[in-house]
Amino acid sequence: MQIERSFLSSRVARRVFFLFILCALLPVGALSLVSFSDVTGQLTQQAERRVRQESKAMGMAIYQRLLLLNAELLSISRQHQATPTVVPDEVPPQPLPGTPGFPGMAYLSSDGTANLLLGELRTVPALSPAQWSLLRQRKTLLITVNDEQGLARLFLVRGVDTDERAIVAEVNGEYLWDLGGSMTLPADMAMCVFGNAADVLFCSPSAPAKLREQRVGQGEGASTALLEWRDEEDTYIAGYWSIPLRYQFSTAPWTVLLSESRRSVLAPLASFHYRFSLV
């Protein structure tokens, strides 16, 4: 004890002692800052790469389902080439049940008359002369209609055997956006799909309210990009991919936006920080 007291009482000894402490702590502190910055950058880059890849994967899955629905609509239209029998008003129609992809389907004339073919249709979209011109070329149209509650309802319309008739089919949203089936949304991610006018077509249940307000670029083709946004609680990393619909469905691209909170991205840093502090 006497030696320790004499050692600490010496000014030169104290200087040497604290110099050794600084020589140890400064490099360790610098290393911790550099490591923290590098790990943060790596985690952020991985998250950015992940949201871009997942948004494209989700977009491709949605596009494939639209192609399957288009093929089903084409098959049904070929099976019903004959003019449907007009049932008198006093006799209720007896259409066949709807399909998993189409809860309802009807023949549509250019004058707006609709004859139910499958399932049940509460409404049919109003078609413009330009759209009827595309239908006469046997094109398939993908049309979005907002109902009274502001929810987006999707319809596929295809011209049939005469120039003034088409088959209109409502798309089953549960089938198209089925995230529990072949499209599995990664944990801690939220997804929204925007239409050609930035209308919200679909959002996953975990999507924050602010995500619905995002306005993303509406580019042609398979455009992809990154963006960041924030709400009162956290900052989010988001990536989007545009589904090319112009050629197949004569409409502007949809945009699939996937978002992940920066808090969940940097969650591994908590254990890293704890272990590094102990060391």
Side-chain angles (χ1 to χ4, degrees), residues 63 139-140 220 244-251:
Y63 184 62
K139 299 285 187 178
T140 301
E220 293 289 342
L245 300 174
R246 179 74 67 186
Y247 175 77
Q248 194 70 38
F249 298 101
S250 303
T251 189

PDB file of all heavy atoms in Angstrom, residues 63 139-140 220 244-251:
ATOM      1  N   TYR A  63     -47.692 -10.072 -61.338  1.00  0.00           N
ATOM      2  CA  TYR A  63     -47.806 -10.069 -62.804  1.00  0.00           C
ATOM      3  C   TYR A  63     -48.125 -11.473 -63.330  1.00  0.00           C
ATOM      4  O   TYR A  63     -48.953 -11.628 -64.245  1.00  0.00           O
ATOM      5  CB  TYR A  63     -46.501  -9.554 -63.401  1.00  0.00           C
ATOM      6  CG  TYR A  63     -46.536  -9.410 -64.906  1.00  0.00           C
ATOM      7  CD1 TYR A  63     -47.429  -8.533 -65.516  1.00  0.00           C
ATOM      8  CD2 TYR A  63     -45.670 -10.137 -65.721  1.00  0.00           C
ATOM      9  CE1 TYR A  63     -47.460  -8.394 -66.898  1.00  0.00           C
ATOM     10  CE2 TYR A  63     -45.699 -10.006 -67.090  1.00  0.00           C
ATOM     11  CZ  TYR A  63     -46.599  -9.135 -67.673  1.00  0.00           C
ATOM     12  OH  TYR A  63     -46.635  -9.001 -69.030  1.00  0.00           O
ATOM     13  N   LYS A 139     -57.905  -7.051 -77.542  1.00  0.00           N
ATOM     14  CA  LYS A 139     -57.002  -6.729 -76.447  1.00  0.00           C
ATOM     15  C   LYS A 139     -57.688  -7.012 -75.113  1.00  0.00           C
ATOM     16  O   LYS A 139     -58.914  -7.031 -75.011  1.00  0.00           O
ATOM     17  CB  LYS A 139     -56.595  -5.253 -76.496  1.00  0.00           C
ATOM     18  CG  LYS A 139     -55.867  -4.825 -77.754  1.00  0.00           C
ATOM     19  CD  LYS A 139     -54.437  -5.318 -77.737  1.00  0.00           C
ATOM     20  CE  LYS A 139     -53.649  -4.730 -78.918  1.00  0.00           C
ATOM     21  NZ  LYS A 139     -52.239  -5.159 -78.914  1.00  0.00           N
ATOM     22  N   THR A 140     -56.875  -7.233 -74.084  1.00  0.00           N
ATOM     23  CA  THR A 140     -57.390  -7.360 -72.729  1.00  0.00           C
ATOM     24  C   THR A 140     -57.077  -6.085 -71.963  1.00  0.00           C
ATOM     25  O   THR A 140     -55.930  -5.621 -71.960  1.00  0.00           O
ATOM     26  CB  THR A 140     -56.756  -8.561 -71.995  1.00  0.00           C
ATOM     27  OG1 THR A 140     -57.039  -9.761 -72.717  1.00  0.00           O
ATOM     28  CG2 THR A 140     -57.311  -8.689 -70.585  1.00  0.00           C
ATOM     29  N   GLU A 220     -42.017   3.466 -66.940  1.00  0.00           N
ATOM     30  CA  GLU A 220     -42.377   2.368 -67.821  1.00  0.00           C
ATOM     31  C   GLU A 220     -41.404   1.218 -67.621  1.00  0.00           C
ATOM     32  O   GLU A 220     -40.240   1.393 -67.277  1.00  0.00           O
ATOM     33  CB  GLU A 220     -42.340   2.837 -69.286  1.00  0.00           C
ATOM     34  CG  GLU A 220     -43.407   3.872 -69.615  1.00  0.00           C
ATOM     35  CD  GLU A 220     -44.805   3.281 -69.643  1.00  0.00           C
ATOM     36  OE1 GLU A 220     -44.931   2.050 -69.746  1.00  0.00           O
ATOM     37  OE2 GLU A 220     -45.760   4.050 -69.568  1.00  0.00           O
ATOM     38  N   PRO A 244     -44.655  -3.952 -65.489  1.00  0.00           N
ATOM     39  CA  PRO A 244     -44.964  -3.504 -66.853  1.00  0.00           C
ATOM     40  C   PRO A 244     -46.289  -4.088 -67.342  1.00  0.00           C
ATOM     41  O   PRO A 244     -46.407  -5.296 -67.556  1.00  0.00           O
ATOM     42  CB  PRO A 244     -43.777  -4.037 -67.671  1.00  0.00           C
ATOM     43  CG  PRO A 244     -43.299  -5.228 -66.896  1.00  0.00           C
ATOM     44  CD  PRO A 244     -43.566  -4.946 -65.449  1.00  0.00           C
ATOM     45  N   LEU A 245     -47.281  -3.243 -67.512  1.00  0.00           N
ATOM     46  CA  LEU A 245     -48.619  -3.697 -67.903  1.00  0.00           C
ATOM     47  C   LEU A 245     -49.074  -3.134 -69.252  1.00  0.00           C
ATOM     48  O   LEU A 245     -50.147  -3.499 -69.719  1.00  0.00           O
ATOM     49  CB  LEU A 245     -49.640  -3.288 -66.825  1.00  0.00           C
ATOM     50  CG  LEU A 245     -49.411  -3.844 -65.418  1.00  0.00           C
ATOM     51  CD1 LEU A 245     -50.416  -3.237 -64.451  1.00  0.00           C
ATOM     52  CD2 LEU A 245     -49.510  -5.354 -65.412  1.00  0.00           C
ATOM     53  N   ARG A 246     -48.278  -2.266 -69.840  1.00  0.00           N
ATOM     54  CA  ARG A 246     -48.719  -1.576 -71.061  1.00  0.00           C
ATOM     55  C   ARG A 246     -48.977  -2.551 -72.206  1.00  0.00           C
ATOM     56  O   ARG A 246     -50.017  -2.479 -72.871  1.00  0.00           O
ATOM     57  CB  ARG A 246     -47.659  -0.559 -71.467  1.00  0.00           C
ATOM     58  CG  ARG A 246     -47.977   0.211 -72.739  1.00  0.00           C
ATOM     59  CD  ARG A 246     -49.056   1.238 -72.493  1.00  0.00           C
ATOM     60  NE  ARG A 246     -48.594   2.285 -71.600  1.00  0.00           N
ATOM     61  CZ  ARG A 246     -49.370   3.246 -71.124  1.00  0.00           C
ATOM     62  NH1 ARG A 246     -50.650   3.272 -71.450  1.00  0.00           N
ATOM     63  NH2 ARG A 246     -48.890   4.150 -70.310  1.00  0.00           N
ATOM     64  N   TYR A 247     -48.046  -3.470 -72.442  1.00  0.00           N
ATOM     65  CA  TYR A 247     -48.180  -4.353 -73.598  1.00  0.00           C
ATOM     66  C   TYR A 247     -49.313  -5.355 -73.425  1.00  0.00           C
ATOM     67  O   TYR A 247     -50.115  -5.567 -74.337  1.00  0.00           O
ATOM     68  CB  TYR A 247     -46.853  -5.086 -73.847  1.00  0.00           C
ATOM     69  CG  TYR A 247     -46.927  -6.119 -74.944  1.00  0.00           C
ATOM     70  CD1 TYR A 247     -46.918  -5.732 -76.285  1.00  0.00           C
ATOM     71  CD2 TYR A 247     -47.018  -7.476 -74.640  1.00  0.00           C
ATOM     72  CE1 TYR A 247     -46.995  -6.678 -77.292  1.00  0.00           C
ATOM     73  CE2 TYR A 247     -47.095  -8.419 -75.639  1.00  0.00           C
ATOM     74  CZ  TYR A 247     -47.088  -8.027 -76.963  1.00  0.00           C
ATOM     75  OH  TYR A 247     -47.160  -8.967 -77.954  1.00  0.00           O
ATOM     76  N   GLN A 248     -49.393  -5.992 -72.259  1.00  0.00           N
ATOM     77  CA  GLN A 248     -50.333  -7.083 -72.074  1.00  0.00           C
ATOM     78  C   GLN A 248     -51.737  -6.604 -71.704  1.00  0.00           C
ATOM     79  O   GLN A 248     -52.729  -7.231 -72.088  1.00  0.00           O
ATOM     80  CB  GLN A 248     -49.810  -8.024 -70.975  1.00  0.00           C
ATOM     81  CG  GLN A 248     -50.503  -9.373 -70.916  1.00  0.00           C
ATOM     82  CD  GLN A 248     -50.157 -10.255 -72.099  1.00  0.00           C
ATOM     83  OE1 GLN A 248     -49.012 -10.260 -72.565  1.00  0.00           O
ATOM     84  NE2 GLN A 248     -51.130 -10.979 -72.625  1.00  0.00           N
ATOM     85  N   PHE A 249     -51.831  -5.495 -70.961  1.00  0.00           N
ATOM     86  CA  PHE A 249     -53.131  -5.073 -70.440  1.00  0.00           C
ATOM     87  C   PHE A 249     -53.493  -3.629 -70.787  1.00  0.00           C
ATOM     88  O   PHE A 249     -54.461  -3.089 -70.249  1.00  0.00           O
ATOM     89  CB  PHE A 249     -53.159  -5.255 -68.920  1.00  0.00           C
ATOM     90  CG  PHE A 249     -52.976  -6.681 -68.479  1.00  0.00           C
ATOM     91  CD1 PHE A 249     -51.748  -7.125 -68.005  1.00  0.00           C
ATOM     92  CD2 PHE A 249     -54.021  -7.587 -68.552  1.00  0.00           C
ATOM     93  CE1 PHE A 249     -51.570  -8.435 -67.604  1.00  0.00           C
ATOM     94  CE2 PHE A 249     -53.858  -8.904 -68.153  1.00  0.00           C
ATOM     95  CZ  PHE A 249     -52.625  -9.323 -67.683  1.00  0.00           C
ATOM     96  N   SER A 250     -52.714  -3.003 -71.634  1.00  0.00           N
ATOM     97  CA  SER A 250     -53.030  -1.660 -72.153  1.00  0.00           C
ATOM     98  C   SER A 250     -53.293  -0.650 -71.039  1.00  0.00           C
ATOM     99  O   SER A 250     -54.230   0.158 -71.106  1.00  0.00           O
ATOM    100  CB  SER A 250     -54.240  -1.727 -73.091  1.00  0.00           C
ATOM    101  OG  SER A 250     -54.020  -2.614 -74.148  1.00  0.00           O
ATOM    102  N   THR A 251     -52.470  -0.690 -70.002  1.00  0.00           N
ATOM    103  CA  THR A 251     -52.609   0.274 -68.919  1.00  0.00           C
ATOM    104  C   THR A 251     -51.227   0.638 -68.407  1.00  0.00           C
ATOM    105  O   THR A 251     -50.240  -0.048 -68.687  1.00  0.00           O
ATOM    106  CB  THR A 251     -53.470  -0.298 -67.776  1.00  0.00           C
ATOM    107  OG1 THR A 251     -53.755   0.735 -66.827  1.00  0.00           O
ATOM    108  CG2 THR A 251     -52.757  -1.434 -67.063  1.00  0.00           C
TER     109      THR A 251
END
